[in-house]
Each structure stands twice: as C-alpha cells, then as structure tokens.
Amino acid sequence: MTGTNATTEQIEQWLAEKLALSVDLENCELTSDGRTMRLIYLKSLCDSKIIRRFFIAPFFEISSMDLYVQYISSLPSGMEFTNVVRALDLILSGSVALFVDGKIYLLEALQDVKSSVGAATVEAIVQGPQDAFTESIFTNLNMVRRRYKSSNLKIENSTVGYLSQTAIALVYDDRKVDMGILTDVKDKLSQMKVDKIQSSGELEKALNPRGFPLVPTMMTTERPDRAIDNLSEGKIIILIDTSPFALILPSTFFDFFTAMDDKVQLPFVGYFLLILRYVGLFMTLTLPALYVAFTSYNPEILKMNLTLLIAGSRASVPYPSFVEVLIMLVMMEFLIEASLRLPKAIGPTATTVGGLILGTASTEAGLVGSIMIILVAAVAISNFVIPINMMSFSIRFAKYWFVLLAAVFGLLGVVVGVIGSILYLCNLRSFGRPYMRLFHIHEQRRGGTDGHQ
C-alpha cells in the first residue's frame, strides 16, 4: 500500500491491522457538533497529557473544522501524511496519527521517561564532575551542550536497528573533526544491517563487523566530562537513546589508560598515576607467564635465594607450574565474575570470604604454592588500575596467551609475546587512524573563527 493511492479509510484500516495485537493501541473516534476525528497511537509511548491538551481539548473548543485543521498544521511537530510506511514508523516512535477532514496528520507526543541524573558508578573519580549520562538522549545532549558552548558543535540525528529503531545522535565539533572519519562513520551507520541496538557495545560491534580485534578500538564512557574532553580533540561522540554510555571514536591505545583525575591533579601526580597504570598493565600481562618461565625453564636467571624460595613453596604441589597458574587464574576469574553478578548486598562479602578460604585452604593442602597466591593477588590488583573496563576485560583475556607461550617456549615465549603484541597494536587502526598514535594532531578542518568559544 502507498500513501498516494490509498484512501483515508484504507490507511486507517491498514494501520489498525498492523497494530491489532498491541494491547497498548488506542484507536478512538471523537465527535463534536457533527464533526468527527480519529486518533491512532500507542499509549505506552505517548504522553496522555500532551494528547488531551493539544489535540483533544482544542477539537472540542474550536467550533470550525477548518480552524482546527489550521491549528493542527501550525503545531511545531505537525506533519501531514505522505507515506503509509513512514506513518507506521512514526507511530511506533511515539507520534499520534490524526484523521481529520479527509487528511492525516502525524504529531509527536512522545512520553519522555528518563532516569534522573546520578553519579558515575563505573568510572569513579575523586575530583571533578560527578554526574553521569542517563538513558535519555535528550538529557545527555543537555549535559553536552552545557559543557561545550560552541557554535561549532554539531548534532545529527539518526536511527539504527530494523526492530528497535533506536535513536542515536552524532555529536562533533565541525571545526576540529576529521571530515574523512566523519564521512566514514556516516556511511557505516547508513549501511548498518542489524535488527536491534540497545547499547554502545552492540553499536561498536555493528560498526566493526569484520575480524576479531583483541582490544577495543572505540571507547565507551558514562562521563560527560570525558566526552567533552574528546570532543575538544576532534573526535566523534555517539549518544544512544536508552543507553547511559556514549561511544567515542576514533580511539587510541593510550586513551584507555587516561583517567579524568589526571586532568585535575598536579602535573607530576598525573604523570605518576599514568606510569603506575602502564606498570600495572605490564604486571598483569607478564607476571603469570614469567612465573611459569622462571619456574619450569629458566630458574638460573633469578637469584639463588629467590629460586630456592619458589622451589620450597612448590615442594608439595603435584603438578607443573603451568597448571598451577591456570588453576589460580581461573579461580580468580570466578571470583571477579561472582562479584559482578551477585547482588550488591552480598557480592563483596561472598567474594572476599571465598577468596580468603580458597587461598588459605589451597596453600595448606599443598595444591598451590604460597608465592602463587601473592602473584595472583598482584595480577588481579594491577588489572583493576586500568580505568576503562573494556580494555581491562581485554587484558584479562590476553594474559592467558602469555602463559601459554611461556609454558611452551619459556622466557623466549614471553619476549616473543611482548614483541608480537606491540606489532599487532601498531598494525591496528581505528577508523583509519593508527591505534598506537602517541600525540593528537589538531588540523584546521574548516575556516572561520568562533566568537563563542
């Protein structure tokens, strides 16, 4: 059916049939002084107060149908019907279809159900703004606008997902953004073929449908200040309706190790914390592998006292160091996952008690060495210093490759793993930009100045 060939009655019947099994469908007819009007909308999406105030009440108050049609046409969201499929999409997005005087008007009456602005819980910060993005895209845009008061800030709307029809907003600084990257992002969004998008992670996977990257090439954040910081560097922010996380692209490897606290600390303190995170990255990746290499292949590299200490702690362990490391790492993964999935009321207590019991009992039973307990605790703590969870999860997975290389090739395998990881990261691209780029180069993308900056 097309809007140009179908009559008003046929369109009304078609829309009613398409939405017939929806319990929240409202299909009602109003009559006043011989005049009739029909409304079709979804009660779960539309605001009943808006419908009564702007559509129903004026119908009974305005005496002439011609004047009522003029009133409807003058509303900011008023749109006369042009296409039946588009009309159905708008109804599913929170619009009301008004059948008046042989014409059909579509008016937006979306009920803005949103959570209040709360504090950031995933990316904790000691100093600086404490608010976080919400599930409402309009609230998120408000927080961005309040912080980035520039006329160069551009916001483009779009929808993704055949079934979900999720609204997204493409936010960028028109003067600083790389137009090549912006065009690439728009092309990928327009060519995206997915049924639903509900989170930034799903959108990231849809934007990178090929290959299996070992590390994230786009960053997600719940912090408006981090989004603004990246906007000022010429990056693109994608806000997703119903998701409290924004997507930042392109991103480099070093972006994932920068915390917003670094911006407000004294310079030497910020650099110290940054170095601490890279040391933690090296420890969580290599400590288990080095333990396997030094214990099973190259004990002569260590001092004699340390070698004897490790050997003494493993005297009662009945299996190779490779198996010992794997057991403890997997048990630590179980504890981490349990702390994430359990209810907050019992999660910390259960995992803390479980970790203490497992560590003490396994050492006393001679299943693992005491040095191994210290090493696994150091690995877990060093992994938590990475401020962005996406990178933290990738590092948790990557350390098993180093353990496997150390179990097969010893210390040589660890060295090869480090070199191979660096080569892989150097070859990686984020929307055409080198993933291991050290410095952000700001180019003048567009002419003109901004007097409001």
Side-chain angles (χ1 to χ4, degrees), residues 74 220 231 275 324 353 382 451:
S74 65
T220 60
L231 271 178
I275 293 172
E324 178 188 14
V353 173
S382 59

Side-chain angles (χ1 to χ4, degrees), residues 268-285:
F268 68 89
V269 176
Y271 289 125
F272 169 75
L273 295 176
L274 192 62
I275 293 172
L276 202 65
R277 296 188 195 106
Y278 289 117
V279 173
L281 169 66
F282 182 79
M283 288 178 59
T284 191
L285 278 177

Side-chain angles (χ1 to χ4, degrees), residues 285-342:
L285 278 177
T286 59
L287 271 185
L290 290 175
Y291 178 83
V292 174
F294 290 148
T295 302
S296 302
Y297 288 91
N298 309 100
E300 69 279 358
I301 296 179
L302 302 176
K303 286 186 177 182
M304 182 62 67
N305 292 341
L306 184 56
T307 302
L308 293 176
L309 180 64
I310 296 175
S313 68
R314 297 195 69 254
S316 60
V317 178
Y319 31 71
S321 60
F322 168 67
V323 177
E324 178 188 14
V325 167
L326 277 186
I327 290 175
M328 291 308 300
L329 289 181
V330 171
M331 292 305 300
M332 180 58 67
E333 298 293 344
F334 288 157
L335 288 173
I336 294 175
E337 281 299 301
S339 65
L340 293 176
R341 311 305 169 193
L342 281 173

